[in-house]
Structure formats: C-alpha cells, structure tokens
Amino acid sequence: MVFQKPNVFPKSIYDNVAYGPRLHGEVEDLDARVERCLARAGLWNEVKHQLSKPATELSGGQQQRLTIARCLAVESEVLLLDEPCASLDPVATHAIEELMVELALDHTLVLVTHNLQQALRVSNDVAFFEAEHVGRDERHGHLVEYGSAEQVLADPKDERTKVYLASS
C-alpha cells in the first residue's frame, strides 16, 4: 500500500526495501533484490552510493518511489495507491505517473485519485464510487459506474457521474 504521504520507515534506504523480504525469511540474494526493486522504482541511480542514508532524508518524491520499491520487494501482485502524488511537486508527480504506467504492465494497480487528468493519463479502467450518509457519522460507499477511463471520464452514462465530473 502506498499512501498520500510517503511512509518510509525510520531506517536506512536499504533496510526500507529489505524489510519485507527479511520479515518473510527471504534473505537469499537480498542485495540483488534491493537493487532490482530500487531500479524498477526509478531510484537506484539516485541512491546507489548512499544506501545506508536514512530514508527520511530523501525528498518527498524519492520517498514515494522508495515505498513503491518496498512493495515490489515482497513481489506484490496488487499495489494499492491512495493519492500517491497528492503531496508531490509536478516533477515528482510525473515520475510517479510514469512508474505507475510501467508497473501496470506486470502488476494490478488500484489507484485512488481525485485528479481526473491523472486518471486519464495512467488508468485503463475507472470506477466511480459515491458515499451515502446512513447515519450521523456513518457512510456507505457504492459503485456508481465502471468502464474504460475514456468512456467514464469523457462520456459517463450515470447522471451522478456527470454531476461529479461537471463540478470537478
């Protein structure tokens, strides 16, 4: 899971990526796995000479790519991304979006975003959900519309989707 705000562990860059494999007892070829995952996340060339540096000293975009590398290190089939670019500058956002497109070739990505342009750039399919208030502090969400990104965002079928898109 990759959250809005990067959640690196208070450990070194290396130990952040190695954490999951170590937890699962998968320590064989750990150096190669860390390198491969950092490279896949587009971070290896930036950090390869400072793997012992605290991960908290990386920029926000680098920290976000590190959290993605950490997901890749445990060979996740599905990556859940909750507004992964919300706290990033445009350059870091572009890097994360390119990475998402590349990762989608081998992984299932579930992206939560309110950025409709981003959804068009990186998504194959889009699901629009709506929350319904059922009590003072309780809401239930339900699926309103699902389809290709182009269809749902350019020509939605459900009126609730149209209203949301018009207000965004």
Side-chain angles (χ1 to χ4, degrees):
M1 173 106 190
V2 178
F3 297 96
Q4 283 183 15
K5 185 177 180 214
N7 61 341
V8 297
F9 298 150
K11 300 176 175 295
S12 71
I13 294 168
Y14 182 96
D15 288 334
N16 263 267
V17 180
Y19 183 83
R22 284 180 177 149
L23 191 64
H24 293 285
E26 300 170 0
V27 294
E28 190 173 317
D29 297 323
L30 194 54
D31 290 348
R33 184 185 291 206
V34 168
E35 179 179 346
R36 182 177 65 250
C37 294
L38 286 169
R40 185 86 196 269
L43 196 54
W44 176 251
N45 289 334
E46 297 171 39
V47 301
K48 64 184 173 186
H49 298 297
Q50 49 190 347
L51 295 176
S52 60
K53 176 180 176 177
T56 54
E57 293 180 14
L58 295 172
S59 72
Q62 289 173 321
Q63 287 184 21
Q64 199 64 300
R65 287 182 283 149
L66 181 62
T67 62
I68 292 170
R70 195 171 60 214
C71 292
L72 297 174
V74 293
E75 299 175 353
S76 300
E77 292 180 34
V78 177
L79 290 141
L80 305 174
L81 302 120
D82 181 13
E83 301 258 7
C85 302
S87 62
L88 303 179
D89 63 57
V91 172
T93 294
H94 180 72
I96 296 292
E97 286 180 356
E98 284 186 337
L99 179 56
M100 286 189 285
V101 170
E102 179 186 326
L103 291 174
L105 299 173
D106 301 319
H107 303 271
T108 299
L109 274 61
V110 178
L111 170 67
V112 175
T113 184
H114 292 92
N115 183 327
L116 302 178
Q117 292 76 27
Q118 182 177 69
L120 271 171
R121 287 190 298 268
V122 303
S123 302
N124 296 321
D125 299 308
V126 169
F128 176 67
F129 290 86
E130 182 177 69
E132 174 185 1
H133 291 275
V134 293
R136 193 177 99 190
D137 295 324
E138 188 176 348
R139 298 185 306 175
H140 291 174
H142 58 276
L143 179 64
V144 172
E145 187 164 356
Y146 174 81
S148 73
E150 287 183 6
Q151 181 271 307
V152 172
L153 298 175
D155 186 26
K157 304 300 181 214
D158 191 284
E159 189 61 32
R160 294 168 291 181
T161 309
K162 291 176 185 178
V163 169
Y164 177 80
L165 293 173
S167 68
S168 295

